[in-house]
Amino acid sequence: MAAMGDTLDFDSFGQQPPFTLVGVLLPLGLGALLVLLLQRRQKRASSSSSLKLSAGSVGRVVAGNGTCKAKVFGLSPQDCPTSFLRANDEQLEWFCGIAQRSNDMQHGIFIAADAATEEPMPGWTAGDFKSALLKMRNCLPEKTWPHGGQLHEPLDDVAFAARLIASELDVDKAARLIREYATFRQDTANGGGVAPTREWLECGIVFVPCEDFLGRPVVNIRPRYHRPGNPDLFRLGLRSTLDALKAHYMQQRGTAFSESNPLEQYVMVWDFSGASLWSNLDWDAFHVTLHEGAVNYPNMGSQIYVLNVSAPVRWVWTAASKFMHPRVRRKCILVAPADVPSCMRRIVPVDQLPPVWGGTGPAWPGPAEAKTLEDQVGSLVASAYRRAGVVPAGAKPSREDLMPGSIAPPREREKSRGRGKSLGELSCFACFGL
């Protein structure tokens, strides 16, 4: 297993500087977006921008705002409530230390040696977090979330930690996020989660096949499949994907905190091969992402690995990083095309990786090649949807529903689609940046 704080001795940034206007402006835009992705300032979007789903029973198809239909589902296992996790006196110091390490971006798998992983991080301490957490426990009883532990996650220390970290330990702001989440769940999905539509499954933008060595779901973002112009569908799909991750966490929970992923976070892997600035950039989706990540799904993302990034982008990132907050540099790791296999083998078990990323597992197909539900969204998310019974009508069949041998591993067509070619454009980094 890769240890926390591991480094790999390759140089992702050792390229000659570019001297073109495009080569400078586009990467600077990337850096600006990465700063925004941290979502350290809470933004409150107007209620008119949210996609509202009519209330309905779990697993029932309900109408949306006139443009979409979706299902809602319980994020907790159907046979029993989700465990309520609260650090006892013996665990409290450990849990507060984990919260500080998470905020300081020192809990994770670090690929390239960087001074940013060693330099002091300005901000709060584990003791500060402990004081804020105790205040949150006192002022917000468990019943603040009426459906907590039944239709969605419980109001416990994991939920408190996410809001406290997102609000920089401002207890009042964190408490507001807690109350807004209860309203969001009730108004949007009758207390449960938002399930996908067939249209979203067929997009192929997000693929979640497995967990990394720390037990964090691997959320593979493929901007080349994103088509701008439908923010309502994107909002529904984003919520549905993150709710599937929550359902996965609830299914995996025992009676104690996870040792390697106690805050129940995911790791994001952006693959920019084959993407284009002009075809994939979507500012509406970017604003949707900011709102959802700041208000409804705070602090779920742990680290961001950005693959197949061109030399000009890496060079300007290196130059600009000298002026960035250390948290930005630690959170986002840019990887050159030649270094993708060695990088990904340090993050994900080799038998779970596709050959194009240096693995021995089957290829991860695009939407045109998908033959099963797992091909469309990845095995981890597909399992969450199937357990909850919210796979939409007309979706691809699951592998488990097919006779053995009826589905062969999809052939790799990515080379003809431009995989492996360096990206010289910013592309759609805005479209899924939690």
Short mmCIF file of all heavy atoms in Angstrom, two decimals, residues 240-293:
data_model
loop_
_atom_site.label_atom_id
_atom_site.label_comp_id
_atom_site.label_asym_id
_atom_site.label_seq_id
_atom_site.Cartn_x
_atom_site.Cartn_y
_atom_site.Cartn_z
N SER A 240 -26.53 13.42 -8.31
CA SER A 240 -26.72 11.98 -8.33
C SER A 240 -25.41 11.24 -8.08
O SER A 240 -25.36 10.26 -7.33
CB SER A 240 -27.32 11.56 -9.68
OG SER A 240 -27.35 10.17 -9.80
N THR A 241 -24.33 11.71 -8.71
CA THR A 241 -23.03 11.06 -8.52
C THR A 241 -22.56 11.19 -7.08
O THR A 241 -22.11 10.21 -6.46
CB THR A 241 -22.00 11.67 -9.47
OG1 THR A 241 -22.44 11.50 -10.83
CG2 THR A 241 -20.64 11.01 -9.30
N LEU A 242 -22.64 12.38 -6.53
CA LEU A 242 -22.19 12.58 -5.15
C LEU A 242 -23.09 11.85 -4.15
O LEU A 242 -22.61 11.35 -3.13
CB LEU A 242 -22.12 14.07 -4.83
CG LEU A 242 -21.11 14.86 -5.67
CD1 LEU A 242 -21.12 16.33 -5.28
CD2 LEU A 242 -19.72 14.28 -5.52
N ASP A 243 -24.37 11.76 -4.45
CA ASP A 243 -25.25 10.98 -3.59
C ASP A 243 -24.92 9.49 -3.67
O ASP A 243 -25.03 8.76 -2.67
CB ASP A 243 -26.71 11.21 -3.96
CG ASP A 243 -27.24 12.55 -3.45
OD1 ASP A 243 -26.57 13.15 -2.59
OD2 ASP A 243 -28.31 12.99 -3.91
N ALA A 244 -24.52 9.02 -4.84
CA ALA A 244 -24.10 7.62 -4.97
C ALA A 244 -22.86 7.36 -4.11
O ALA A 244 -22.73 6.30 -3.49
CB ALA A 244 -23.82 7.27 -6.43
N LEU A 245 -21.94 8.33 -4.06
CA LEU A 245 -20.78 8.18 -3.20
C LEU A 245 -21.19 8.14 -1.73
O LEU A 245 -20.67 7.35 -0.95
CB LEU A 245 -19.79 9.32 -3.44
CG LEU A 245 -19.19 9.44 -4.84
CD1 LEU A 245 -18.10 10.51 -4.85
CD2 LEU A 245 -18.64 8.12 -5.33
N LYS A 246 -22.13 9.02 -1.35
CA LYS A 246 -22.62 8.99 0.03
C LYS A 246 -23.26 7.63 0.34
O LYS A 246 -23.06 7.07 1.44
CB LYS A 246 -23.64 10.11 0.25
CG LYS A 246 -23.02 11.51 0.34
CD LYS A 246 -24.10 12.56 0.53
CE LYS A 246 -23.50 13.95 0.68
NZ LYS A 246 -22.87 14.15 2.00
N ALA A 247 -24.04 7.10 -0.59
CA ALA A 247 -24.65 5.79 -0.38
C ALA A 247 -23.58 4.71 -0.22
O ALA A 247 -23.72 3.79 0.58
CB ALA A 247 -25.58 5.45 -1.54
N HIS A 248 -22.50 4.84 -0.97
CA HIS A 248 -21.38 3.90 -0.84
C HIS A 248 -20.75 4.00 0.54
O HIS A 248 -20.47 2.98 1.18
CB HIS A 248 -20.35 4.20 -1.92
CG HIS A 248 -19.08 3.42 -1.78
ND1 HIS A 248 -18.99 2.08 -2.10
CD2 HIS A 248 -17.84 3.79 -1.34
CE1 HIS A 248 -17.75 1.66 -1.87
NE2 HIS A 248 -17.04 2.67 -1.41
N TYR A 249 -20.52 5.23 1.02
CA TYR A 249 -19.95 5.40 2.36
C TYR A 249 -20.86 4.80 3.41
O TYR A 249 -20.40 4.13 4.34
CB TYR A 249 -19.75 6.89 2.68
CG TYR A 249 -18.83 7.64 1.75
CD1 TYR A 249 -19.13 8.94 1.36
CD2 TYR A 249 -17.67 7.07 1.28
CE1 TYR A 249 -18.29 9.65 0.52
CE2 TYR A 249 -16.82 7.77 0.43
CZ TYR A 249 -17.14 9.07 0.06
OH TYR A 249 -16.31 9.76 -0.78
N MET A 250 -22.16 5.03 3.30
CA MET A 250 -23.09 4.52 4.30
C MET A 250 -23.11 2.99 4.28
O MET A 250 -23.22 2.35 5.34
CB MET A 250 -24.51 5.05 4.04
CG MET A 250 -24.66 6.57 4.10
SD MET A 250 -24.11 7.33 5.64
CE MET A 250 -22.51 8.00 5.14
N GLN A 251 -23.00 2.40 3.10
CA GLN A 251 -22.97 0.95 2.99
C GLN A 251 -21.70 0.37 3.62
O GLN A 251 -21.73 -0.71 4.22
CB GLN A 251 -23.05 0.54 1.51
CG GLN A 251 -23.03 -0.95 1.24
CD GLN A 251 -24.32 -1.64 1.65
OE1 GLN A 251 -25.37 -0.99 1.72
NE2 GLN A 251 -24.25 -2.94 1.91
N GLN A 252 -20.59 1.09 3.50
CA GLN A 252 -19.31 0.60 3.99
C GLN A 252 -19.10 0.88 5.48
O GLN A 252 -18.21 0.28 6.08
CB GLN A 252 -18.17 1.28 3.21
CG GLN A 252 -18.15 0.96 1.73
CD GLN A 252 -17.88 -0.51 1.45
OE1 GLN A 252 -16.99 -1.09 2.05
NE2 GLN A 252 -18.64 -1.10 0.55
N ARG A 253 -19.89 1.75 6.06
CA ARG A 253 -19.68 2.14 7.45
C ARG A 253 -19.84 0.97 8.41
O ARG A 253 -20.75 0.17 8.29
CB ARG A 253 -20.67 3.23 7.86
CG ARG A 253 -20.16 4.63 7.72
CD ARG A 253 -21.03 5.57 8.51
NE ARG A 253 -20.68 6.97 8.24
CZ ARG A 253 -21.15 7.99 8.93
NH1 ARG A 253 -21.99 7.78 9.94
NH2 ARG A 253 -20.80 9.23 8.63
N GLY A 254 -18.93 0.95 9.39
CA GLY A 254 -19.11 0.05 10.52
C GLY A 254 -19.54 0.85 11.72
O GLY A 254 -20.23 1.88 11.60
N THR A 255 -19.12 0.42 12.87
CA THR A 255 -19.46 1.13 14.10
C THR A 255 -18.35 2.07 14.54
O THR A 255 -18.46 2.71 15.58
CB THR A 255 -19.76 0.14 15.22
OG1 THR A 255 -18.61 -0.72 15.41
CG2 THR A 255 -20.97 -0.72 14.86
N ALA A 256 -17.28 2.15 13.76
CA ALA A 256 -16.15 3.02 14.09
C ALA A 256 -15.71 3.78 12.85
O ALA A 256 -16.06 3.42 11.72
CB ALA A 256 -14.99 2.20 14.66
N PHE A 257 -14.93 4.83 13.05
CA PHE A 257 -14.40 5.62 11.93
C PHE A 257 -13.47 4.76 11.08
O PHE A 257 -12.76 3.89 11.58
CB PHE A 257 -13.61 6.82 12.45
CG PHE A 257 -14.42 7.85 13.17
CD1 PHE A 257 -14.46 7.87 14.56
CD2 PHE A 257 -15.14 8.80 12.47
CE1 PHE A 257 -15.21 8.82 15.24
CE2 PHE A 257 -15.89 9.77 13.13
CZ PHE A 257 -15.93 9.77 14.52
N SER A 258 -13.49 5.02 9.77
CA SER A 258 -12.49 4.42 8.89
C SER A 258 -11.11 4.95 9.27
O SER A 258 -10.95 6.15 9.50
CB SER A 258 -12.80 4.77 7.43
OG SER A 258 -11.69 4.50 6.60
N GLU A 259 -10.11 4.08 9.35
CA GLU A 259 -8.78 4.53 9.72
C GLU A 259 -8.10 5.31 8.60
O GLU A 259 -7.35 6.24 8.86
CB GLU A 259 -7.91 3.33 10.10
CG GLU A 259 -8.36 2.63 11.38
CD GLU A 259 -7.42 1.53 11.79
OE1 GLU A 259 -6.36 1.37 11.13
OE2 GLU A 259 -7.71 0.82 12.77
N SER A 260 -8.35 4.94 7.35
CA SER A 260 -7.66 5.59 6.23
C SER A 260 -8.46 6.70 5.58
O SER A 260 -7.90 7.60 4.96
CB SER A 260 -7.27 4.55 5.17
OG SER A 260 -8.44 3.91 4.66
N ASN A 261 -9.79 6.67 5.72
CA ASN A 261 -10.65 7.70 5.12
C ASN A 261 -11.73 8.12 6.11
O ASN A 261 -12.93 7.99 5.85
CB ASN A 261 -11.27 7.18 3.81
CG ASN A 261 -12.00 8.26 3.03
OD1 ASN A 261 -11.73 9.46 3.18
ND2 ASN A 261 -12.92 7.85 2.18
N PRO A 262 -11.34 8.65 7.26
CA PRO A 262 -12.32 8.91 8.34
C PRO A 262 -13.31 10.01 8.00
O PRO A 262 -14.41 10.03 8.55
CB PRO A 262 -11.44 9.31 9.52
CG PRO A 262 -10.17 9.81 8.92
CD PRO A 262 -9.97 8.98 7.68
N LEU A 263 -12.96 10.93 7.11
CA LEU A 263 -13.87 12.02 6.76
C LEU A 263 -14.73 11.69 5.54
O LEU A 263 -15.48 12.53 5.06
CB LEU A 263 -13.09 13.31 6.51
CG LEU A 263 -12.27 13.82 7.70
CD1 LEU A 263 -11.65 15.18 7.38
CD2 LEU A 263 -13.12 13.93 8.96
N GLU A 264 -14.60 10.46 5.04
CA GLU A 264 -15.41 9.97 3.93
C GLU A 264 -15.32 10.91 2.72
O GLU A 264 -16.32 11.50 2.29
CB GLU A 264 -16.85 9.75 4.39
CG GLU A 264 -16.95 8.69 5.48
CD GLU A 264 -18.35 8.44 5.99
OE1 GLU A 264 -19.23 9.31 5.78
OE2 GLU A 264 -18.56 7.40 6.63
N GLN A 265 -14.13 11.01 2.17
CA GLN A 265 -13.87 11.86 1.02
C GLN A 265 -13.53 11.01 -0.20
O GLN A 265 -13.26 9.81 -0.09
CB GLN A 265 -12.71 12.81 1.33
CG GLN A 265 -13.02 13.81 2.44
CD GLN A 265 -11.83 14.71 2.74
OE1 GLN A 265 -10.76 14.24 3.13
NE2 GLN A 265 -12.01 16.00 2.56
N TYR A 266 -13.54 11.64 -1.35
CA TYR A 266 -13.14 10.98 -2.59
C TYR A 266 -11.91 11.66 -3.17
O TYR A 266 -11.54 12.76 -2.76
CB TYR A 266 -14.29 10.98 -3.61
CG TYR A 266 -14.73 12.36 -4.08
CD1 TYR A 266 -14.03 13.05 -5.07
CD2 TYR A 266 -15.86 12.96 -3.54
CE1 TYR A 266 -14.44 14.31 -5.50
CE2 TYR A 266 -16.28 14.21 -3.96
CZ TYR A 266 -15.56 14.88 -4.95
OH TYR A 266 -15.97 16.12 -5.36
N VAL A 267 -11.27 11.01 -4.11
CA VAL A 267 -10.16 11.58 -4.85
C VAL A 267 -10.60 11.77 -6.30
O VAL A 267 -11.29 10.92 -6.86
CB VAL A 267 -8.90 10.69 -4.76
CG1 VAL A 267 -9.17 9.31 -5.32
CG2 VAL A 267 -7.73 11.32 -5.48
N MET A 268 -10.26 12.91 -6.88
CA MET A 268 -10.68 13.22 -8.23
C MET A 268 -9.51 13.09 -9.20
O MET A 268 -8.41 13.55 -8.92
CB MET A 268 -11.25 14.64 -8.29
CG MET A 268 -11.78 15.05 -9.64
SD MET A 268 -12.48 16.72 -9.60
CE MET A 268 -13.87 16.46 -8.52
N VAL A 269 -9.77 12.44 -10.32
CA VAL A 269 -8.76 12.28 -11.36
C VAL A 269 -9.31 12.85 -12.66
O VAL A 269 -10.23 12.29 -13.25
CB VAL A 269 -8.38 10.80 -11.55
CG1 VAL A 269 -7.33 10.66 -12.66
CG2 VAL A 269 -7.87 10.20 -10.26
N TRP A 270 -8.75 13.98 -13.06
CA TRP A 270 -9.13 14.61 -14.33
C TRP A 270 -8.26 14.06 -15.44
O TRP A 270 -7.03 14.06 -15.33
CB TRP A 270 -8.93 16.12 -14.25
CG TRP A 270 -9.96 16.85 -13.46
CD1 TRP A 270 -10.05 16.94 -12.11
CD2 TRP A 270 -11.04 17.61 -13.97
NE1 TRP A 270 -11.13 17.71 -11.75
CE2 TRP A 270 -11.75 18.13 -12.88
CE3 TRP A 270 -11.47 17.91 -15.27
CZ2 TRP A 270 -12.87 18.94 -13.04
CZ3 TRP A 270 -12.59 18.71 -15.42
CH2 TRP A 270 -13.29 19.21 -14.32
N ASP A 271 -8.87 13.61 -16.51
CA ASP A 271 -8.12 13.15 -17.68
C ASP A 271 -8.45 14.07 -18.85
O ASP A 271 -9.52 14.00 -19.43
CB ASP A 271 -8.49 11.70 -18.02
CG ASP A 271 -7.69 11.17 -19.19
OD1 ASP A 271 -6.79 11.89 -19.67
OD2 ASP A 271 -7.96 10.04 -19.63
N PHE A 272 -7.48 14.94 -19.19
CA PHE A 272 -7.72 15.95 -20.21
C PHE A 272 -7.41 15.49 -21.63
O PHE A 272 -7.50 16.30 -22.55
CB PHE A 272 -6.90 17.20 -19.89
CG PHE A 272 -7.56 18.09 -18.87
CD1 PHE A 272 -6.91 18.39 -17.69
CD2 PHE A 272 -8.81 18.60 -19.09
CE1 PHE A 272 -7.51 19.21 -16.74
CE2 PHE A 272 -9.43 19.42 -18.16
CZ PHE A 272 -8.77 19.73 -16.98
N SER A 273 -7.01 14.26 -21.82
CA SER A 273 -6.71 13.83 -23.18
C SER A 273 -7.97 13.89 -24.04
O SER A 273 -9.05 13.48 -23.62
CB SER A 273 -6.15 12.41 -23.17
OG SER A 273 -7.11 11.50 -22.70
N GLY A 274 -7.82 14.42 -25.23
CA GLY A 274 -8.93 14.50 -26.16
C GLY A 274 -9.92 15.62 -25.91
O GLY A 274 -10.90 15.75 -26.63
N ALA A 275 -9.70 16.44 -24.88
CA ALA A 275 -10.64 17.52 -24.56
C ALA A 275 -10.27 18.79 -25.32
O ALA A 275 -9.14 18.97 -25.76
CB ALA A 275 -10.66 17.79 -23.07
N SER A 276 -11.23 19.68 -25.44
CA SER A 276 -11.04 20.93 -26.19
C SER A 276 -11.68 22.09 -25.46
O SER A 276 -12.79 21.96 -24.93
CB SER A 276 -11.65 20.81 -27.59
OG SER A 276 -11.74 22.08 -28.21
N LEU A 277 -10.99 23.20 -25.44
CA LEU A 277 -11.54 24.41 -24.82
C LEU A 277 -12.85 24.80 -25.47
O LEU A 277 -13.84 25.11 -24.81
CB LEU A 277 -10.52 25.54 -24.94
CG LEU A 277 -11.01 26.93 -24.54
CD1 LEU A 277 -11.29 26.97 -23.04
CD2 LEU A 277 -10.00 28.00 -24.91
N TRP A 278 -12.90 24.77 -26.79
CA TRP A 278 -14.07 25.30 -27.50
C TRP A 278 -15.26 24.37 -27.41
O TRP A 278 -16.40 24.82 -27.41
CB TRP A 278 -13.70 25.56 -28.95
CG TRP A 278 -12.40 26.29 -29.07
CD1 TRP A 278 -11.25 25.85 -29.66
CD2 TRP A 278 -12.09 27.59 -28.54
NE1 TRP A 278 -10.25 26.77 -29.54
CE2 TRP A 278 -10.73 27.86 -28.86
CE3 TRP A 278 -12.81 28.55 -27.83
CZ2 TRP A 278 -10.10 29.04 -28.49
CZ3 TRP A 278 -12.17 29.72 -27.46
CH2 TRP A 278 -10.84 29.96 -27.80
N SER A 279 -15.04 23.06 -27.30
CA SER A 279 -16.16 22.11 -27.28
C SER A 279 -16.65 21.81 -25.87
O SER A 279 -17.81 21.45 -25.70
CB SER A 279 -15.73 20.80 -27.95
OG SER A 279 -15.35 21.01 -29.29
N ASN A 280 -15.79 21.92 -24.86
CA ASN A 280 -16.12 21.39 -23.55
C ASN A 280 -16.26 22.42 -22.44
O ASN A 280 -16.81 22.12 -21.39
CB ASN A 280 -15.07 20.36 -23.12
CG ASN A 280 -14.86 19.27 -24.15
OD1 ASN A 280 -13.76 19.10 -24.65
ND2 ASN A 280 -15.90 18.56 -24.50
N LEU A 281 -15.72 23.62 -22.61
CA LEU A 281 -15.80 24.62 -21.56
C LEU A 281 -17.25 25.03 -21.30
O LEU A 281 -18.00 25.29 -22.23
CB LEU A 281 -14.98 25.85 -21.93
CG LEU A 281 -14.89 26.96 -20.87
CD1 LEU A 281 -14.19 26.45 -19.63
CD2 LEU A 281 -14.16 28.17 -21.43
N ASP A 282 -17.64 25.07 -20.03
CA ASP A 282 -19.04 25.32 -19.69
C ASP A 282 -19.10 26.13 -18.39
O ASP A 282 -19.00 25.59 -17.29
CB ASP A 282 -19.77 23.98 -19.52
CG ASP A 282 -21.27 24.14 -19.37
OD1 ASP A 282 -21.73 25.28 -19.14
OD2 ASP A 282 -21.99 23.14 -19.50
N TRP A 283 -19.28 27.44 -18.51
CA TRP A 283 -19.31 28.30 -17.34
C TRP A 283 -20.57 28.09 -16.51
O TRP A 283 -20.54 28.23 -15.29
CB TRP A 283 -19.18 29.76 -17.75
CG TRP A 283 -17.79 30.11 -18.19
CD1 TRP A 283 -17.37 30.39 -19.45
CD2 TRP A 283 -16.63 30.18 -17.36
NE1 TRP A 283 -16.01 30.62 -19.46
CE2 TRP A 283 -15.53 30.51 -18.19
CE3 TRP A 283 -16.40 29.99 -16.00
CZ2 TRP A 283 -14.24 30.65 -17.70
CZ3 TRP A 283 -15.11 30.13 -15.51
CH2 TRP A 283 -14.06 30.46 -16.36
N ASP A 284 -21.69 27.75 -17.15
CA ASP A 284 -22.90 27.46 -16.38
C ASP A 284 -22.68 26.27 -15.45
O ASP A 284 -23.06 26.30 -14.27
CB ASP A 284 -24.08 27.17 -17.32
CG ASP A 284 -24.58 28.42 -18.03
OD1 ASP A 284 -24.35 29.53 -17.50
OD2 ASP A 284 -25.20 28.29 -19.10
N ALA A 285 -22.05 25.23 -15.98
CA ALA A 285 -21.75 24.06 -15.15
C ALA A 285 -20.77 24.42 -14.04
O ALA A 285 -20.86 23.90 -12.92
CB ALA A 285 -21.18 22.94 -16.02
N PHE A 286 -19.84 25.33 -14.34
CA PHE A 286 -18.88 25.76 -13.33
C PHE A 286 -19.59 26.43 -12.16
O PHE A 286 -19.31 26.14 -10.99
CB PHE A 286 -17.88 26.72 -13.97
CG PHE A 286 -16.90 27.31 -13.00
CD1 PHE A 286 -15.98 26.52 -12.35
CD2 PHE A 286 -16.89 28.67 -12.75
CE1 PHE A 286 -15.07 27.06 -11.46
CE2 PHE A 286 -15.99 29.23 -11.86
CZ PHE A 286 -15.07 28.42 -11.22
N HIS A 287 -20.55 27.31 -12.45
CA HIS A 287 -21.27 27.99 -11.38
C HIS A 287 -22.16 27.01 -10.60
O HIS A 287 -22.30 27.14 -9.37
CB HIS A 287 -22.11 29.13 -11.97
CG HIS A 287 -21.29 30.28 -12.48
ND1 HIS A 287 -20.43 30.99 -11.69
CD2 HIS A 287 -21.19 30.83 -13.73
CE1 HIS A 287 -19.83 31.94 -12.39
NE2 HIS A 287 -20.27 31.85 -13.64
N VAL A 288 -22.75 26.04 -11.29
CA VAL A 288 -23.50 25.00 -10.60
C VAL A 288 -22.60 24.26 -9.62
O VAL A 288 -22.95 24.01 -8.46
CB VAL A 288 -24.12 24.01 -11.61
CG1 VAL A 288 -24.63 22.76 -10.90
CG2 VAL A 288 -25.26 24.67 -12.38
N THR A 289 -21.39 23.92 -10.07
CA THR A 289 -20.44 23.19 -9.24
C THR A 289 -20.05 23.99 -8.01
O THR A 289 -19.97 23.45 -6.89
CB THR A 289 -19.20 22.83 -10.06
OG1 THR A 289 -19.59 22.02 -11.18
CG2 THR A 289 -18.18 22.09 -9.23
N LEU A 290 -19.79 25.27 -8.19
CA LEU A 290 -19.42 26.12 -7.05
C LEU A 290 -20.50 26.10 -5.98
O LEU A 290 -20.22 25.97 -4.79
CB LEU A 290 -19.16 27.54 -7.52
CG LEU A 290 -17.82 27.83 -8.19
CD1 LEU A 290 -17.72 29.31 -8.52
CD2 LEU A 290 -16.66 27.42 -7.30
N HIS A 291 -21.75 26.28 -6.41
CA HIS A 291 -22.85 26.31 -5.44
C HIS A 291 -23.00 24.97 -4.74
O HIS A 291 -23.08 24.91 -3.50
CB HIS A 291 -24.16 26.67 -6.14
CG HIS A 291 -25.35 26.52 -5.23
ND1 HIS A 291 -25.70 27.45 -4.30
CD2 HIS A 291 -26.26 25.51 -5.12
CE1 HIS A 291 -26.77 27.04 -3.64
NE2 HIS A 291 -27.13 25.86 -4.12
N GLU A 292 -23.04 23.89 -5.51
CA GLU A 292 -23.26 22.58 -4.90
C GLU A 292 -22.13 22.21 -3.95
O GLU A 292 -22.36 21.66 -2.87
CB GLU A 292 -23.41 21.52 -6.00
CG GLU A 292 -24.60 21.71 -6.91
CD GLU A 292 -25.93 21.62 -6.17
OE1 GLU A 292 -26.04 20.82 -5.21
OE2 GLU A 292 -26.86 22.36 -6.53
N GLY A 293 -20.90 22.51 -4.34
CA GLY A 293 -19.76 22.17 -3.51
C GLY A 293 -19.65 23.03 -2.27
O GLY A 293 -19.15 22.58 -1.23
#
